[in-house]
Amino acid sequence: MSHAKKWDKTFEKSSQVNVKKVTFKNRFGITLAGDLYTPKSMKRDEKLPAVAISGPFGAVKEQASGLYAQTLAERGFITLAFDPSFTGQSKGPQRNVSSPDINTEDFSAAVDFLSNYKNVDPNKIGILGICGFGGFALNAAAMDTRIKGTVTATMYDMTRVSANGYFDAMDANARYAQKEQLNAQRTQDYKNGTYALAPGLPEKLTGQEPQFVQDYWHYYKTPRGFHKRSINSNGNWTLTSSLSLMNQPILAYSSEIRNAVLIIHGEKAHSRYFSEDAFKKLTGDNKELLIIPGANHVDLYDNLQKIPFDKIENFFRINLK
Protein backbone atom coordinates (compact mmCIF):
# COMPACT_ATOMS: atom_id res chain seq x y z
CA MET A 1 0.00 0.00 0.00
CA SER A 2 1.41 3.34 -1.06
CA HIS A 3 1.05 5.14 2.28
CA ALA A 4 3.33 2.54 3.91
CA LYS A 5 6.32 3.56 1.80
CA LYS A 6 7.29 6.52 3.96
CA TRP A 7 9.16 5.17 6.99
CA ASP A 8 7.43 6.50 10.10
CA LYS A 9 9.11 4.41 12.79
CA THR A 10 11.54 5.28 15.59
CA PHE A 11 13.95 2.51 14.54
CA GLU A 12 15.84 1.83 11.32
CA LYS A 13 14.16 -0.08 8.54
CA SER A 14 15.35 -3.63 7.91
CA SER A 15 16.34 -4.70 4.42
CA GLN A 16 15.18 -8.26 5.18
CA VAL A 17 11.54 -7.49 5.89
CA ASN A 18 8.46 -6.20 4.08
CA VAL A 19 5.96 -4.10 6.01
CA LYS A 20 2.49 -2.92 5.10
CA LYS A 21 -0.37 -1.13 6.83
CA VAL A 22 -3.40 -3.26 7.70
CA THR A 23 -6.68 -2.76 9.53
CA PHE A 24 -8.96 -5.20 11.35
CA LYS A 25 -11.95 -4.95 13.68
CA ASN A 26 -12.36 -6.15 17.24
CA ARG A 27 -15.64 -7.55 18.51
CA PHE A 28 -16.69 -4.12 19.77
CA GLY A 29 -16.63 -2.94 16.15
CA ILE A 30 -13.55 -0.74 16.62
CA THR A 31 -11.19 -0.71 13.66
CA LEU A 32 -7.60 -1.30 14.72
CA ALA A 33 -4.54 -0.25 12.71
CA GLY A 34 -1.45 -2.40 12.47
CA ASP A 35 1.84 -2.83 10.67
CA LEU A 36 2.24 -6.33 9.23
CA TYR A 37 5.87 -7.46 8.94
CA THR A 38 6.78 -10.41 6.72
CA PRO A 39 10.18 -11.92 5.89
CA LYS A 40 11.30 -11.09 2.35
CA SER A 41 12.40 -14.72 2.08
CA MET A 42 8.80 -15.92 2.51
CA LYS A 43 7.53 -18.00 -0.39
CA ARG A 44 4.20 -17.18 -2.02
CA ASP A 45 2.18 -20.06 -0.57
CA GLU A 46 4.24 -20.61 2.59
CA LYS A 47 2.50 -20.82 5.98
CA LEU A 48 4.53 -19.31 8.82
CA PRO A 49 4.08 -18.94 12.58
CA ALA A 50 2.88 -15.48 13.61
CA VAL A 51 3.07 -13.15 16.62
CA ALA A 52 0.79 -10.21 17.51
CA ILE A 53 2.57 -7.46 19.45
CA SER A 54 1.45 -4.35 21.33
CA GLY A 55 2.62 -1.92 24.00
CA PRO A 56 4.03 -0.20 25.91
CA PHE A 57 1.05 1.46 27.61
CA GLY A 58 0.71 4.85 25.94
CA ALA A 59 3.00 3.99 23.01
CA VAL A 60 2.25 3.34 19.35
CA LYS A 61 3.17 0.58 16.91
CA GLU A 62 5.93 2.72 15.42
CA GLN A 63 7.89 2.52 18.70
CA ALA A 64 8.92 -0.54 20.73
CA SER A 65 6.28 -2.96 19.44
CA GLY A 66 7.35 -2.28 15.87
CA LEU A 67 10.99 -2.90 16.75
CA TYR A 68 10.07 -6.27 18.27
CA ALA A 69 7.88 -7.07 15.26
CA GLN A 70 10.53 -6.21 12.69
CA THR A 71 13.23 -8.13 14.56
CA LEU A 72 11.10 -11.27 14.85
CA ALA A 73 10.13 -10.98 11.17
CA GLU A 74 13.85 -10.97 10.34
CA ARG A 75 13.96 -14.29 12.20
CA GLY A 76 11.23 -15.90 10.12
CA PHE A 77 7.92 -14.98 11.77
CA ILE A 78 4.98 -13.02 10.41
CA THR A 79 4.36 -10.29 12.97
CA LEU A 80 1.65 -7.73 13.59
CA ALA A 81 2.40 -4.63 15.66
CA PHE A 82 -0.86 -2.82 16.36
CA ASP A 83 -2.22 0.29 18.02
CA PRO A 84 -4.74 -0.46 20.79
CA SER A 85 -8.28 0.88 20.55
CA PHE A 86 -8.65 4.66 20.95
CA THR A 87 -4.92 5.28 20.41
CA GLY A 88 -2.51 5.91 17.54
CA GLN A 89 -4.06 5.21 14.15
CA SER A 90 -6.71 2.87 15.56
CA LYS A 91 -10.27 4.13 15.72
CA GLY A 92 -12.65 4.79 18.56
CA PRO A 93 -14.49 8.11 18.84
CA GLN A 94 -13.02 9.08 22.20
CA ARG A 95 -9.26 9.33 22.07
CA ASN A 96 -6.67 8.23 24.62
CA VAL A 97 -8.92 5.99 26.69
CA SER A 98 -7.85 2.66 28.16
CA SER A 99 -10.03 -0.30 29.09
CA PRO A 100 -9.00 -3.62 30.64
CA ASP A 101 -11.72 -5.39 28.67
CA ILE A 102 -11.25 -3.70 25.29
CA ASN A 103 -7.45 -3.75 25.43
CA THR A 104 -7.52 -7.48 26.19
CA GLU A 105 -9.94 -7.97 23.30
CA ASP A 106 -7.54 -6.06 21.02
CA PHE A 107 -5.06 -8.95 21.31
CA SER A 108 -7.72 -11.50 20.40
CA ALA A 109 -8.79 -9.34 17.44
CA ALA A 110 -5.18 -9.42 16.24
CA VAL A 111 -5.30 -13.22 16.54
CA ASP A 112 -8.53 -13.17 14.48
CA PHE A 113 -6.72 -11.27 11.74
CA LEU A 114 -3.61 -13.45 11.76
CA SER A 115 -5.66 -16.66 11.86
CA ASN A 116 -7.21 -15.66 8.55
CA TYR A 117 -4.12 -14.25 6.86
CA LYS A 118 -3.09 -16.29 3.82
CA ASN A 119 0.51 -16.92 4.88
CA VAL A 120 -0.13 -17.68 8.57
CA ASP A 121 -0.58 -21.13 10.04
CA PRO A 122 -3.57 -20.50 12.35
CA ASN A 123 -2.35 -23.19 14.73
CA LYS A 124 0.95 -21.37 15.27
CA ILE A 125 0.05 -17.96 16.70
CA GLY A 126 1.56 -16.27 19.74
CA ILE A 127 1.37 -12.83 21.32
CA LEU A 128 3.90 -10.47 22.89
CA GLY A 129 2.98 -7.63 25.23
CA ILE A 130 5.31 -4.87 26.37
CA CYS A 131 4.88 -2.90 29.62
CA GLY A 132 1.15 -2.46 30.36
CA PHE A 133 0.27 -4.63 27.39
CA GLY A 134 2.19 -7.45 29.01
CA GLY A 135 -0.57 -7.60 31.59
CA PHE A 136 -3.28 -7.45 28.92
CA ALA A 137 -1.43 -10.18 27.00
CA LEU A 138 -1.56 -12.51 30.02
CA ASN A 139 -5.26 -11.73 30.39
CA ALA A 140 -5.81 -12.55 26.72
CA ALA A 141 -3.87 -15.80 27.08
CA ALA A 142 -6.09 -16.80 30.01
CA MET A 143 -9.17 -16.34 27.83
CA ASP A 144 -8.07 -17.11 24.26
CA THR A 145 -7.00 -20.74 23.82
CA ARG A 146 -5.83 -20.07 20.25
CA ILE A 147 -2.78 -18.31 21.68
CA LYS A 148 -0.08 -20.99 21.76
CA GLY A 149 2.65 -18.92 23.41
CA THR A 150 2.80 -15.62 25.29
CA VAL A 151 5.81 -13.40 25.95
CA THR A 152 5.73 -10.38 28.23
CA ALA A 153 8.54 -7.83 28.34
CA THR A 154 8.96 -5.40 31.26
CA MET A 155 5.36 -6.11 32.29
CA TYR A 156 3.00 -3.82 34.19
CA ASP A 157 -0.29 -4.90 35.68
CA MET A 158 -2.12 -1.64 34.95
CA THR A 159 -5.13 -2.64 37.04
CA ARG A 160 -2.99 -3.31 40.11
CA VAL A 161 -0.96 -0.12 39.89
CA SER A 162 -4.11 1.94 39.23
CA ALA A 163 -5.92 0.46 42.20
CA ASN A 164 -3.07 0.21 44.68
CA GLY A 165 -0.34 2.61 43.56
CA TYR A 166 3.29 1.59 43.18
CA PHE A 167 4.35 -1.21 45.53
CA ASP A 168 0.72 -1.44 46.71
CA ALA A 169 1.19 1.64 48.88
CA MET A 170 -2.41 2.88 48.52
CA ASP A 171 -4.93 1.55 51.05
CA ALA A 172 -8.72 1.32 50.74
CA ASN A 173 -9.26 4.82 52.18
CA ALA A 174 -6.83 6.39 49.74
CA ARG A 175 -8.44 4.45 46.89
CA TYR A 176 -11.90 5.64 47.96
CA ALA A 177 -10.71 9.23 48.02
CA GLN A 178 -9.30 8.83 44.51
CA LYS A 179 -12.56 7.35 43.28
CA GLU A 180 -14.45 10.29 44.78
CA GLN A 181 -12.22 12.70 42.87
CA LEU A 182 -12.49 10.80 39.59
CA ASN A 183 -16.26 10.45 39.78
CA ALA A 184 -16.61 14.16 40.54
CA GLN A 185 -14.52 14.67 37.41
CA ARG A 186 -16.98 12.54 35.43
CA THR A 187 -19.78 14.90 36.43
CA GLN A 188 -17.70 17.87 35.35
CA ASP A 189 -16.67 16.21 32.09
CA TYR A 190 -20.30 15.61 31.19
CA LYS A 191 -21.16 19.22 31.99
CA ASN A 192 -18.24 20.54 29.93
CA GLY A 193 -18.70 18.13 27.04
CA THR A 194 -14.97 17.39 27.11
CA TYR A 195 -12.70 15.01 29.00
CA ALA A 196 -10.11 16.31 31.42
CA LEU A 197 -6.63 14.96 30.78
CA ALA A 198 -4.34 13.11 33.16
CA PRO A 199 -0.84 14.44 33.83
CA GLY A 200 1.80 13.24 31.40
CA LEU A 201 5.56 13.29 31.32
CA PRO A 202 7.11 16.73 31.93
CA GLU A 203 8.33 18.67 28.91
CA LYS A 204 11.66 19.22 30.70
CA LEU A 205 13.35 17.36 33.52
CA THR A 206 14.38 19.07 36.73
CA GLY A 207 16.50 16.13 37.87
CA GLN A 208 14.29 15.72 40.95
CA GLU A 209 11.97 13.19 39.31
CA PRO A 210 12.10 9.50 40.29
CA GLN A 211 14.66 7.62 38.22
CA PHE A 212 12.02 5.62 36.37
CA VAL A 213 10.27 8.85 35.27
CA GLN A 214 13.60 10.11 33.97
CA ASP A 215 14.07 6.81 32.14
CA TYR A 216 10.64 7.17 30.51
CA TRP A 217 11.42 10.77 29.55
CA HIS A 218 14.68 9.81 27.87
CA TYR A 219 12.78 7.32 25.73
CA TYR A 220 9.53 9.14 24.91
CA LYS A 221 10.64 12.77 24.87
CA THR A 222 13.91 12.50 22.94
CA PRO A 223 14.70 11.42 19.35
CA ARG A 224 15.46 7.96 20.75
CA GLY A 225 11.77 7.09 20.98
CA PHE A 226 9.62 10.19 20.36
CA HIS A 227 6.64 9.69 18.06
CA LYS A 228 4.02 12.32 17.40
CA ARG A 229 1.11 9.87 17.77
CA SER A 230 2.32 8.40 21.07
CA ILE A 231 0.37 9.46 24.15
CA ASN A 232 3.52 9.31 26.26
CA SER A 233 5.50 11.37 23.76
CA ASN A 234 2.95 13.92 22.68
CA GLY A 235 -0.34 13.65 24.58
CA ASN A 236 -2.25 12.59 27.68
CA TRP A 237 -4.59 9.84 28.77
CA THR A 238 -8.07 10.96 29.78
CA LEU A 239 -8.14 11.42 33.54
CA THR A 240 -11.10 9.12 34.20
CA SER A 241 -9.53 6.21 32.24
CA SER A 242 -8.14 4.82 35.48
CA LEU A 243 -11.61 4.18 36.98
CA SER A 244 -12.20 0.92 35.11
CA LEU A 245 -8.57 -0.10 35.64
CA MET A 246 -9.03 0.34 39.39
CA ASN A 247 -12.11 -1.86 39.43
CA GLN A 248 -11.35 -4.78 37.09
CA PRO A 249 -8.22 -6.79 37.99
CA ILE A 250 -6.95 -8.43 34.81
CA LEU A 251 -4.94 -11.37 36.18
CA ALA A 252 -7.75 -13.10 38.09
CA TYR A 253 -7.62 -16.19 35.85
CA SER A 254 -3.97 -16.18 34.78
CA SER A 255 -3.42 -19.42 36.70
CA GLU A 256 -5.58 -21.13 34.06
CA ILE A 257 -3.18 -20.40 31.18
CA ARG A 258 -2.22 -23.82 29.83
CA ASN A 259 -0.02 -22.72 26.94
CA ALA A 260 3.55 -21.57 27.33
CA VAL A 261 4.50 -18.22 28.89
CA LEU A 262 7.85 -16.42 29.00
CA ILE A 263 8.02 -13.41 31.34
CA ILE A 264 11.03 -11.11 30.82
CA HIS A 265 12.01 -8.25 33.11
CA GLY A 266 15.01 -6.09 33.90
CA GLU A 267 16.89 -6.67 37.14
CA LYS A 268 16.98 -2.92 37.88
CA ALA A 269 13.42 -2.12 36.78
CA HIS A 270 11.14 -0.38 39.30
CA SER A 271 8.35 -2.58 37.89
CA ARG A 272 10.07 -5.93 38.37
CA TYR A 273 7.65 -7.01 41.11
CA PHE A 274 4.76 -7.09 38.61
CA SER A 275 6.46 -9.84 36.61
CA GLU A 276 7.67 -11.75 39.65
CA ASP A 277 4.18 -11.80 41.19
CA ALA A 278 2.49 -12.65 37.87
CA PHE A 279 4.90 -15.55 37.42
CA LYS A 280 4.05 -16.93 40.87
CA LYS A 281 0.41 -17.26 39.81
CA LEU A 282 1.17 -19.28 36.69
CA THR A 283 0.91 -23.05 36.83
CA GLY A 284 2.41 -25.87 34.78
CA ASP A 285 5.96 -26.63 33.73
CA ASN A 286 5.95 -24.51 30.54
CA LYS A 287 6.29 -21.12 32.28
CA GLU A 288 9.54 -19.21 32.70
CA LEU A 289 10.68 -15.97 34.36
CA LEU A 290 13.80 -14.42 32.84
CA ILE A 291 15.50 -11.53 34.67
CA ILE A 292 17.93 -9.51 32.53
CA PRO A 293 21.01 -8.47 34.55
CA GLY A 294 21.52 -4.72 34.85
CA ALA A 295 18.47 -3.79 32.73
CA ASN A 296 15.98 -1.13 33.77
CA HIS A 297 12.33 -0.92 32.69
CA VAL A 298 12.92 1.07 29.50
CA ASP A 299 15.97 -0.94 28.38
CA LEU A 300 13.56 -3.62 27.21
CA TYR A 301 11.82 -1.12 24.90
CA ASP A 302 14.71 -0.69 22.47
CA ASN A 303 18.10 -1.69 23.85
CA LEU A 304 19.21 -4.43 21.47
CA GLN A 305 22.03 -5.36 23.84
CA LYS A 306 19.49 -6.14 26.58
CA ILE A 307 16.40 -7.51 24.78
CA PRO A 308 16.92 -11.31 24.60
CA PHE A 309 15.75 -11.85 21.03
CA ASP A 310 17.53 -15.20 20.73
CA LYS A 311 15.56 -16.41 23.75
CA ILE A 312 12.27 -15.00 22.42
CA GLU A 313 12.83 -16.56 19.00
CA ASN A 314 13.61 -19.94 20.54
CA PHE A 315 10.53 -19.74 22.78
CA PHE A 316 8.22 -19.15 19.82
CA ARG A 317 10.00 -21.77 17.69
CA ILE A 318 9.41 -24.41 20.37
CA ASN A 319 5.85 -23.45 21.28
CA LEU A 320 4.24 -22.31 18.02
CA LYS A 321 3.85 -25.79 16.64
Side-chain angles (χ1 to χ4, degrees), residues 140-148 259:
M143 177 269 295
D144 193 333
T145 56
R146 299 172 300 172
I147 296 166
K148 297 300 191 291
N259 290 319

Side-chain angles (χ1 to χ4, degrees), residues 103-123:
N103 292 148
T104 297
E105 159 64 18
D106 290 341
F107 268 113
S108 285
V111 174
D112 293 340
F113 173 86
L114 289 171
S115 295
N116 287 279
Y117 189 70
K118 59 183 179 179
N119 291 111
V120 170
D121 183 334
N123 297 309

